[in-house]
Amino acid sequence: MKIAVASGKGGTGKTSISASLLLARPDTLAIDLDVEEPNLNILLGSFDGCVMPVTMPIARIEGSKCISCRKCAEACVYGAIAWLGAGVPVINESLCRGCGLCPRVCPPEAIYEEDQVVGEIRSGICGGISFLEGRLRVGSVNTVRVIEETVKKAQSFNETDWLMDCPPGTACPVAASLRHADMALLVTEPTPFGRSDLEGMLEMTADMRIPTALVVNKTGIGDILIDDLCRRFNADIIARYPFSRSAAESGARGESPFKTDAGWAETTRSLWSDIERRFS
Amino acid sequence: MNIREVVIISGKGGTGKTTLTASLASVAEERRILADADVDAPNLALLLNPRETGRQPFFGMPISEVDREQCTGCAICEKACRYNAIHVRDGKAVVDEGFCEGCRVCLHVCPERCISLKTIERGIIRRGNTALGPLWHARLYPGGENTGLMVALLRKEARKEAEASGASLIITDGPPGIGCPVTSSVTGGDFAVIVSEPSRSALSDLRRAAGLCGILAVPFGIVINRWNLSEELTETIKETCGNEGWPVLGTIPFEEKIAEAVGAGRIPTVEMGDALPALWHGIQKTGRLKR
């Protein structure tokens, strides 16, 4: 089963709960898809493996072949090719999205593509668990590209059980992660912000028709209820982790509370049996 | 009129950007405009309770649409699409609207010429009045593309209003991460405040957010929120900032009464105590926000 752990709001505890689930079932493939801020490795343990670049083709113009017809500049919807009135058009690399249209419209085939590194994939073992991580290069905006390449790598492993630690928000990076999931585990917190972002997340898993269950983390830090959302979206709360300062502190140090807090570990084990009872 | 825009970001989510944005707005004395650029998880309005004065639909880039009658299912479009956004299912090409970036490669390669463009509503941009000033906020519909474009439009509206109304300050609540929407929030801003907290994850994310500000050439400083949750890691963050030459603008403690105020939908101006005006003073000074 391929489980996606997502949340809408950042900082609700996606990564803590992902790490705990993985430590409880170390035969599950760990995949960190929060490629802008990958932190799962910090909670799992030391990483041993290899690093592979993620590239994207960027357009370039061979000036000597260019006939200054400006078809490329007219075709590019991202405004990445500037026509300066004469001569060879200029490509703005930071705006190029690598769609591959300009080489196709260039009559003398003066445009070629060159791979540019937009991120990396770490593949190996982390804290004794098979581990994959996508990591966006700082300054690149190609989040979805790195997510998709990481998932492709995961698919090549032929493992049946995945746990994907997803990015926050409800935009395309989350959609790119969720579309590979058999079920979504949404981590929320009982605060007004937590509830509001959970609602957006539930709309999304409902739209994508992904079976969904909820985990309420940090119970006790607020008293906001979500029962009406559970009913509306037919998603049950299957675990509650109470807020504990000691769990927060061990997480902050990079130690999963699964290892340091007996109550937390017990909740995680019963969460696994609930997931299996409902979804496998 | 010299308008200064300060953008609150964090790298890691949940470090307290939104709470801090509202709190800083409550102690700023300048005429100000507020903007919530976290368009796919917007929460600033929950603390500011705007009275809505206007709304407009947001349309992203036009995306591809297949004429099913004409489509022969040849899959040439599927092979050409770099975004994995068009697939042949049951003999017909189907566009995945959440992934299509509107590049038009499929239109170009389709031998049947049966792909065209359509514009879809991707979200909504709103304006409202609040006790702390006008608020521009938005909601991207779940699963949507074009967050960066939406953030750019939202910031443009906030700036237009600042120019028209004579406001001298724009305070923008940014998104988490370092990708498209963050880049779009920070680019061209006058100063970025990176909200961190004492954890190894937050420190890793702080480094990436600071790296992005460096690339975008936007000056920045760091706030350590909930510093007393780990005094040891707070020291580590301060040391890192010292070694890198990043200014620490101030610290805010973790206190239950702050969490309770936010839980009740209130801005914790009083609960944050003296740390808040001291922090705002630090931001004004380091960010050269005062003329």
Side-chain angles (χ1 to χ4, degrees):
Chain A
M1 183 167 41
K2 297 177 172 60
I3 303 171
V5 181
S7 72
K9 177 168 164 34
T12 57
K14 274 183 304 301
T15 304
S16 298
I17 286 162
S18 297
S20 299
L21 286 167
L22 288 160
L23 290 165
R25 293 282 167 86
D27 50 348
T28 307
L29 175 63
I31 311 173
D32 194 348
L33 295 180
D34 189 1
V35 305
E36 294 182 24
E37 312 292 2
N39 290 327
L40 184 59
N41 70 92
I42 294 175
L43 287 172
L44 288 182
S46 61
F47 168 76
D48 187 18
C50 59
V51 180
M52 296 155 283
V54 176
T55 61
M56 208 183 78
I58 295 289
R60 302 215 191 271
I61 302 179
E62 206 175 322
S64 61
K65 283 192 187 169
C66 176
I67 54 168
S68 304
C69 69
R70 72 178 185 188
K71 284 202 171 120
C72 56
E74 281 162 7
C76 179
V77 297
Y78 307 117
I81 308 181
W83 169 251
L84 306 173
V88 180
V90 177
I91 294 179
N92 180 342
E93 281 185 18
S94 64
L95 295 178
C96 176
R97 308 283 282 272
C99 71
L101 182 60
C102 54
R104 292 176 187 275
V105 302
C106 177
E109 299 183 353
I111 301 183
Y112 61 99
E113 293 178 296
E114 209 168 71
D115 279 344
Q116 197 181 52
V117 176
V118 295
E120 61 191 36
I121 295 172
R122 295 174 189 213
S123 169
I125 302 287
C126 195
I129 294 163
S130 294
F131 176 82
L132 266 177
E133 171 196 278
R135 187 173 280 259
L136 183 72
R137 201 192 63 177
V138 178
S140 169
V141 294
N142 296 292
T143 305
V144 171
R145 171 89 183 168
V146 179
I147 290 173
E148 301 234 297
E149 290 301 306
T150 309
V151 169
K152 244 187 239 168
K153 187 79 200 164
Q155 283 162 341
S156 74
F157 288 174
N158 286 323
E159 297 272 358
T160 46
D161 294 326
W162 292 9
L163 191 138
M164 295 173 272
D165 187 10
C166 298
T170 57
C172 45
V174 187
S177 311
L178 282 175
R179 70 167 165 175
H180 304 284
D182 299 320
M183 73 154 293
L185 198 61
L186 305 185
V187 182
T188 185
E189 59 180 39
T191 63
F193 297 173
R195 182 192 151 99
S196 169
D197 296 340
L198 173 67
E199 190 171 355
M201 204 58 238
L202 282 165
E203 282 173 26
M204 193 164 163
T205 56
D207 275 357
M208 296 176 77
R209 296 195 178 83
I210 299 171
T212 300
L214 308 180
V215 173
V216 183
N217 190 19
K218 308 181 202 174
T219 59
I221 61 157
D223 52 7
I224 297 291
L225 297 177
I226 53 168
D227 304 20
D228 58 317
L229 293 179
C230 293
R231 280 194 298 275
R232 202 168 106 211
F233 291 97
N234 189 27
D236 292 339
I237 300 171
I238 61 171
R240 287 186 165 83
Y241 288 85
F243 175 77
S244 109
R245 198 162 163 155
S246 71
E249 282 169 4
S250 82
R253 284 193 306 270
E255 246 176 339
S256 170
F258 183 79
K259 292 178 181 166
T260 58
D261 186 315
W264 182 286
E266 189 44 47
T267 306
T268 305
R269 286 191 201 97
S270 94
L271 172 57
W272 260 126
S273 18
D274 221 316
I275 291 172
E276 279 171 346
R277 204 175 62 239
R278 284 161 189 265
F279 298 100
S280 42
Chain B
M1 175 54 89
N2 187 5
I3 301 163
R4 310 293 282 171
E5 183 181 5
V6 46
V7 187
I8 320 290
I9 59 167
S10 66
K12 179 164 165 38
T15 59
K17 280 182 297 300
T18 302
T19 301
L20 210 58
T21 303
S23 303
L24 291 171
S26 75
V27 293
E29 281 164 358
E30 295 87 342
R31 279 194 65 180
R32 58 202 172 265
I33 309 283
L34 301 159
D36 187 351
D38 190 1
V39 299
D40 60 307
N43 288 328
L44 190 55
L46 295 175
L47 287 179
L48 296 177
N49 300 312
R51 263 174 301 111
E52 190 166 307
T53 56
R55 53 162 72 193
Q56 60 194 71
F58 165 71
F59 301 99
M61 301 270 265
I63 61 167
S64 299
E65 181 178 42
V66 178
D67 179 347
R68 290 181 62 87
E69 298 290 308
Q70 307 279 324
C71 178
T72 60
C74 69
I76 290 176
C77 55
E78 181 173 333
K79 287 185 199 89
C81 178
R82 296 269 172 87
Y83 308 120
N84 207 5
I86 190 161
H87 299 276
V88 175
R89 286 192 201 110
D90 303 325
K92 301 283 175 188
V94 180
V95 176
D96 191 332
E97 294 185 352
F99 289 84
C100 178
E101 300 207 10
C103 75
R104 311 184 183 187
V105 159
C106 54
L107 275 75
H108 183 79
V109 300
C110 176
E112 306 302 321
R113 298 265 170 263
C114 69
I115 305 179
S116 58
L117 291 169
K118 68 165 178 180
T119 303
I120 58 168
E121 196 178 316
R122 294 275 198 189
I124 189 154
I125 296 180
R126 293 191 171 98
R127 185 200 176 279
N129 287 321
T130 80
L132 301 180
L135 169 68
W136 284 91
H137 57 133
R139 169 83 210 159
L140 185 82
Y141 297 145
E145 265 280 350
N146 299 135
T147 27
L149 183 61
M150 191 178 205
V151 168
L153 285 178
L154 185 87
R155 282 181 67 207
K156 207 161 138 193
E157 292 289 357
R159 184 159 287 268
K160 244 187 345 200
E161 176 162 358
E163 279 164 4
S165 67
S168 59
L169 178 68
I170 302 172
I171 305 181
T172 302
D173 185 10
I178 55 160
C180 213
V182 183
T183 302
S184 186
S185 303
V186 174
T187 303
D190 294 291
F191 191 65
V193 174
I194 306 177
V195 186
S196 193
E197 63 181 16
S199 76
R200 282 186 55 201
S201 301
L203 177 57
S204 164
D205 298 350
L206 163 62
R207 284 184 179 283
R208 291 165 68 76
L212 181 67
C213 291
I215 289 170
L216 299 174
V218 172
F220 63 92
I222 284 102
V223 178
I224 308 171
N225 194 13
R226 308 178 190 130
W227 68 267
N228 50 338
L229 280 183
S230 164
E231 295 187 23
E232 192 192 327
L233 281 157
T234 291
E235 276 315 304
T236 311
I237 293 179
K238 282 184 175 169
E239 260 171 48
T240 305
C241 292
N243 293 340
E244 301 283 350
W246 301 334
V248 176
L249 305 162
T251 57
I252 302 279
F254 171 80
E255 285 191 47
E256 272 169 20
K257 60 187 181 185
I258 297 178
E260 278 164 20
V262 176
R266 276 190 297 114
I267 303 171
T269 313
V270 177
E271 288 79 1
M272 283 192 183
D274 294 340
L276 183 61
L279 171 62
W280 180 237
H281 184 72
I283 293 172
Q284 281 180 310
K285 207 172 136 219
T286 313
R288 298 170 204 268
L289 297 183
K290 284 210 155 165
R291 273 162 294 153

